[in-house]
Amino acid sequence: MDLKKTEAPVSTITIDKDLVDAPTDNIYEAISIIAKRANQINTEIKKELIEKLEEFATYNDSLEEVFENKEQIEVSKFYERLPKPHAIAVKEWLDGKIYYRDTNADS
């Protein structure tokens, strides 16, 4: 997932309920699908952030020393400025990029 190219809004916006529940005809099911995708996105972002921060990790026996690494701070600031996972998930849902299926209808 390329986070730099996401078009999700950084701030909160109002979305028409009819647009959200149009694919499923059930607002609760739509929100459940969006929430599951937001959890997936959050896990991906967290994993990516931890991997990048591990590159800058310095291990010392002394707990009193604190090192400020400018690259580490920049990486952290980049991830803080990203849209929130739920905003990315809603954008993907409205764009029709989330695959889902009704398991009750399949059986």
Side-chain angles (χ1 to χ4, degrees):
M1 177 169 70
D2 192 6
L3 298 171
K4 293 179 182 178
K5 294 182 181 178
T6 184
E7 296 176 7
V10 178
S11 61
T12 304
I13 61 168
T14 304
I15 300 171
D16 185 14
K17 178 190 93 60
D18 294 333
L19 292 175
V20 175
D21 70 359
T24 60
D25 293 327
N26 184 336
I27 189 68
Y28 301 108
E29 187 176 348
I31 290 174
S32 175
I33 294 167
I34 292 169
K36 288 177 185 178
R37 177 62 182 141
N39 285 336
Q40 291 173 346
I41 293 169
N42 189 42
T43 303
E44 290 174 22
I45 291 173
K46 188 174 182 179
K47 181 180 174 186
E48 189 176 311
L49 175 61
I50 289 171
E51 287 174 1
K52 288 188 179 184
L53 291 179
E54 283 292 320
E55 295 174 12
F56 305 112
T58 56
Y59 300 102
N60 280 342
D61 293 336
S62 174
L63 296 176
E64 296 175 5
E65 292 183 47
V66 176
F67 294 103
E68 291 186 8
N69 189 333
K70 292 187 185 221
E71 292 86 10
Q72 187 176 6
I73 293 170
E74 289 300 317
V75 168
S76 296
K77 284 184 180 181
F78 168 76
Y79 281 93
E80 287 176 4
R81 288 190 296 264
L82 287 177
K84 302 298 179 221
H86 67 272
I88 297 171
V90 169
K91 179 69 175 157
E92 288 180 358
W93 177 255
L94 295 176
D95 291 345
K97 295 180 181 177
I98 297 178
Y99 171 77
Y100 69 96
R101 66 173 191 221
D102 186 1
T103 56
N104 294 330
D106 292 343
S107 58

